[in-house]
């Protein structure tokens, strides 16, 4: 009995606003579906962030529907929970629930166990950091099944998997599940914790979205085998992933460096996304443009940034990803990665929306739980 576990498909995301990058997301999801069917998977479970936006476009909805129809025709149930990208901050019906109504998918984020093909699935939708205590309470109340195959589905970051993004801890999870199908973290993570009954896995996102920046990625999903007592998971790498690389090059040696980058581009893959950080003095943009032309022609997207030094913090003068850049500067100025993450990723989004009460609560909670040690 095989179950595919996928997460963070972010359908509709378009890195750099490019149509090709939006199509990459659909293609990645399609590959997951096709490989699952080919490998004889019986159930597919999605751990949230199906869509990139709580108000997905017609194209994303249609692409998702097509994949679900393919599964329905093969008799493969699709189970899902919701991530923060699927849930609008204003209370409204999440778009993904439409597919439950149409009978194409089963929502398992309500904390109610659902038996599907002999496996007991139970999940919760995303709980934000301020709702973490509430989620932990619900997790404690879960009747954890013994002597049966069971899967817990969550869209939360564990401290043990990500020091900075963590919302709950492994100790908060019920013990007896045979598999923990996690979502939210975009990098793959897999571990058998002693205190948990079965394996815990984050498959990561199926295609890099804007927040991940430009890097070399391996993206994929899990095929989990429930046929023996000990559940095992096999990570499947996606072949359709577009190569991305971020390289620091020297202005003086630009020509040779460009040549070696071109030589390293895999021919059998999609055209890559390339970001160059150019170091050196008196960088002439016109010279750079002409020297990188040959490379740009072989790329879907190619940009460059001079690496400059400004007032203590090293600032890239033309950041293509503002979020990434703000985070980098915060780290450099606060001299503490935990604090920078807290300020930029947790506090700032609330303040941007004028949610001062929530921001205040968060500060108190942080203080009371002694999350940061300021005596250092
Ligand atoms: Mn996500």
């Amino acid at each position: 009995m095989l179950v595919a576990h996928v997460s963070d498909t972010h359908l509709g995301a378009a890195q750099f606003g490019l149509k090709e990058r939006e199509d990459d997301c659909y293609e990645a999801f399609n590959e997951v579906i096709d490989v699952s069917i080919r490998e004889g998977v019986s159930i597919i479970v999605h751990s949230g962030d199906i869509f990139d936006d709580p108000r997905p476009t017609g194209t994303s909805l249609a692409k998702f529907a097509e994949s679900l129809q393919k599964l329905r025709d093969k008799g493969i149930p699709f189970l899902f929970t919701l991530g923060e990208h699927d849930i609008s901050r204003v209370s409204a019906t999440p778009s993904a629930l439409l597919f439950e109504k149409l009978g194409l998918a089963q929502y398992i984020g309500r904390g109610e166990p659902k038996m599907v093909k002999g496996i007991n699935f139970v999940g919760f939708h995303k709980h934000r950091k301020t709702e973490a205590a509430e989620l932990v309470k619900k997790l404690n109340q879960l009747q954890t099944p013994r002597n049966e195959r069971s899967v817990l589905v969550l869209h939360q970051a564990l401290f043990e998997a990500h020091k900075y993004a963590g919302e709950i801890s492994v100790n908060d999870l019920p013990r007896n599940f045979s598999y923990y199908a996690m979502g939210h973290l975009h990098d793959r993570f897999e571990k058998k914790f002693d205190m948990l009954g079965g394996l815990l896995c984050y498959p990561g996102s199926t295609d890099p979205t804007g927040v991940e920046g430009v890097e070399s990625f391996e993206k994929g999903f899990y095929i989990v085998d429930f046929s023996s007592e000990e559940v095992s998971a096999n990570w499947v790498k996606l072949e359709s992933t577009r190569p991305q690389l971020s390289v620091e090059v020297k202005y003086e040696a630009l020509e040779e460096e460009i040549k070696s980058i071109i030589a390293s581009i895999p021919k059998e893959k999609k055209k890559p996304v390339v970001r160059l950080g150019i170091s050196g003095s008196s960088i002439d943009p016109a010279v750079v443009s002409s020297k990188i032309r040959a490379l740009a022609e072989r790329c879907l997207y190619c940009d460059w940034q001079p690496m400059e030094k400004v007032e203590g913090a090293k600032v890239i003068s033309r950041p293509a990803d503002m979020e990434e850049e703000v985070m980098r500067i915060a780290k450099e100025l606060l001299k503490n990665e935990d604090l920078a993450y807290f300020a930029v990723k947790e506090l700032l989004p609330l303040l941007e929306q004028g949610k001062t009460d929530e921001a205040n609560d968060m500060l108190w909670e942080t203080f009371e739980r002694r999350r940061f040690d300021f005596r250092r």
Side-chain angles (χ1 to χ4, degrees), residues 364-373 375:
W364 271 112
E365 199 189 319
T366 308
F367 172 70
E368 279 166 356
R369 287 170 63 182
R370 295 169 198 266
R371 194 164 143 209
F372 303 109
D373 186 358
R375 286 163 305 176

Side-chain angles (χ1 to χ4, degrees), residues 8 10 49 184 186:
D8 296 87
H10 288 261
D49 280 0
H184 186 51
H186 283 197

